[in-house]
Amino acid sequence: DDSFIPTSRATMTTEGESGAPSAAAAYCIALSDVESAAERIAGLASRTPVLISTSIDLLCSSAAADDDDESSSNPLAVAPTSPANIQQQKQPQRSIFFKVEALQRTGSFKFRGALNATLALRERVLRQEAAAAADGASECKDINVVTHSSGNHAQAVALAARIASDLDNQEKKKVNATICMPRNAPIVKRKAVAGFGGEIIMVDNTNEAREEMADRIVEEREAHFIHPSEDPKVIAGQGTATLEMVEQVQDILRERASKQGNAASTTPPSSFDKPLDAVIIPVGGGGLASGNTIALRGLFGDKVKIILAEPKELDDAKRSREAGKLLGHHEGNRLNSVADGLKTTLGPNTWPIVRDLVDDIITVSEEDILRATKLIWERLKVCIEPSAGVGVAVALSDDFAEKYRIEDGIVNVGVILCGGNVDIIQTCKLMEQMGL
């Protein structure tokens, strides 16, 4: 899904609300850009829930407690929902907080960024038209946006354009969305884009064909290209998930402390100010990872650990960080991962943020991704896609348990469940093939 190399249009730096460069010179956005995005999309994007599960907390606590035992095994590999696993401890020592972007509009976090980019563009065009009108050169035209995508970003841009067109204020402005989709795009996703009002142009199943058509639409229709992961406004929009999650986890911790009573509470007051000790974020193109990393570093500095989650079959981000330079997928990599939403590689705007500000990148196997996906289906009763299961698999991995220990203060862990657009039948077949 969306597995293409970013085009040069997206390698711009961000602009503030006045059009001036952002304060974060080293990176394409700053915390202020994420906060502006949150204000812009408030009431239009869903404030997705943060969910918790005692049984999953017990599994993660068990993994962390057993990290020094060479005979121990990953809790995902030994029937994670079995009573033996769940009842190993009376009380969990680690708490996992799941930010459920699978319940976002269009079924993924992508809507946040697409909406912010579209609304910001609308604001800018209206300002330009107002300035032109003041000079006696008034010309009001529709806004055209274009992108190329086969999945979640396509739906997000189509719905964002419709919402921007329907805004109930004095300055109506029609926004038209054109989506270049490969001919092999699933029919269900094509129908969703059309249902949201997007115009679909079918192209050959190559990155070059998609980019060429998008370039043509930009030229012929004076359209604005919205990149799925490199557009700074998109990146800032994705970071709004963290702003919400921090507030929601603070509320959960306060409620726990209140129920336990002040005297008996095991939640220190400092947890309310810095409620998360670590956050796990799936990474593909890096829009979600970069936006939320900027938000977390802006809020807490180095006091929170940021770990990116990546399939072993799609390990370009991990290899790039180890090499100290931006790498693509291995030559000949067939991208055979069940986490199809993470096939995109990092680009010139997302790479510096991942390179400089992320603590770690942990990769997980296809089997562990499917086990973790099944665990969330069963325990949270939320139908996530395997790309979201990657972060869960990392939280339950031996690697995470060994590096980020409870005794070192890594107790409250956030995991962003990035989406829920999944072919359930096909995923279940894969689970069955692996004996899950």
Side-chain angles (χ1 to χ4, degrees), residues 14-307:
T14 190
E15 294 181 351
E17 301 310 304
S18 63
S22 169
Y27 309 113
C28 65
I29 67 164
L31 175 60
S32 60
D33 298 302
V34 180
E35 292 171 335
S36 294
E39 293 179 7
R40 185 176 289 116
I41 70 176
L44 299 173
S46 298
R47 185 179 173 89
T48 56
V50 167
L51 300 182
I52 55 178
S53 166
T54 301
S55 60
I56 295 178
D57 288 350
L58 286 169
L59 284 174
C60 290
S61 300
S62 174
D66 292 341
D67 71 283
D68 291 326
D69 183 358
E70 294 183 359
S71 66
S72 67
S73 58
N74 187 325
L76 279 172
V78 283
T81 56
S82 68
N85 252 334
I86 294 173
Q87 296 177 5
Q88 283 182 15
Q89 303 176 58
K90 294 182 178 180
Q91 291 294 330
Q93 301 302 308
R94 173 169 281 168
S95 296
I96 310 296
F97 300 89
F98 297 101
K99 179 64 172 168
V100 190
E101 287 298 287
L103 298 179
Q104 183 56 260
R105 298 180 73 170
T106 73
S108 87
F109 74 93
K110 295 276 190 179
F111 181 65
R112 294 177 181 271
L115 182 61
N116 185 52
T118 303
L119 294 181
L121 172 62
R122 179 183 181 276
E123 292 168 6
R124 187 167 74 247
V125 170
L126 288 173
R127 287 197 302 268
Q128 293 170 346
E129 290 180 351
D135 293 337
S138 178
E139 183 182 10
C140 296
K141 299 187 297 184
D142 289 355
I143 299 174
N144 295 312
V145 298
V146 63
T147 195
H148 43 66
S149 169
S150 60
N152 292 343
H153 182 65
Q155 299 174 60
V157 170
L159 180 56
R162 190 181 77 182
I163 289 174
S165 298
D166 294 340
L167 285 180
D168 187 17
N169 55 33
Q170 295 179 344
E171 298 175 299
K172 286 288 185 181
K173 176 61 67 173
K174 182 74 169 66
V175 181
N176 306 304
T178 303
I179 315 296
C180 304
M181 301 187 75
R183 301 187 195 284
N184 65 348
I187 293 178
V188 64
K189 294 188 177 182
R190 281 188 263 167
K191 287 183 177 179
V193 171
F196 291 137
E199 176 189 355
I200 299 173
I201 297 180
M202 305 304 298
V203 298
D204 291 338
N205 306 330
T206 66
N207 296 334
E208 293 77 13
R210 289 200 273 185
E211 292 173 3
E212 181 181 341
M213 180 57 70
D215 286 340
R216 186 187 305 175
I217 297 299
V218 167
E219 183 176 351
E220 293 177 355
R221 304 183 186 182
E222 297 181 356
H224 303 264
F225 181 73
I226 300 178
H227 195 282
S229 56
E230 286 293 306
D231 188 306
K233 288 293 190 291
V234 169
I235 295 172
Q238 318 304 27
T240 61
T242 277
L243 301 186
E244 292 177 6
M245 179 168 61
V246 166
E247 293 178 354
Q248 291 165 309
V249 174
Q250 285 172 331
D251 290 341
I252 292 171
L253 293 177
R254 288 193 181 98
E255 183 179 357
R256 283 182 179 176
S258 176
K259 287 181 177 179
Q260 292 172 344
N262 292 333
S265 176
T266 58
T267 303
S270 60
S271 295
F272 304 144
D273 299 324
K274 197 262 301 181
L276 293 167
D277 304 305
V279 177
I280 300 172
I281 311 168
V283 61
L288 181 70
S290 298
N292 287 279
T293 293
I294 288 291
L296 287 163
R297 289 289 177 243
L299 291 171
F300 306 117
D302 294 332
K303 295 179 180 178
V304 62
K305 298 295 184 182
I306 301 175
I307 298 95

Side-chain angles (χ1 to χ4, degrees), residues 343-384:
K343 291 181 180 180
T344 318
T345 57
L346 298 172
N349 278 340
T350 55
W351 161 239
I353 297 172
V354 170
R355 177 193 64 204
D356 299 344
L357 303 181
V358 166
D359 290 292
D360 199 359
I361 301 177
I362 295 176
T363 60
V364 287
S365 70
E366 295 296 293
E367 182 173 342
D368 280 348
I369 293 169
L370 286 172
R371 286 185 185 277
T373 300
K374 182 171 180 280
L375 178 66
I376 295 299
W377 289 2
E378 293 176 342
R379 290 292 154 182
L380 293 189
K381 315 304 180 187
V382 174
C383 188
I384 62 167

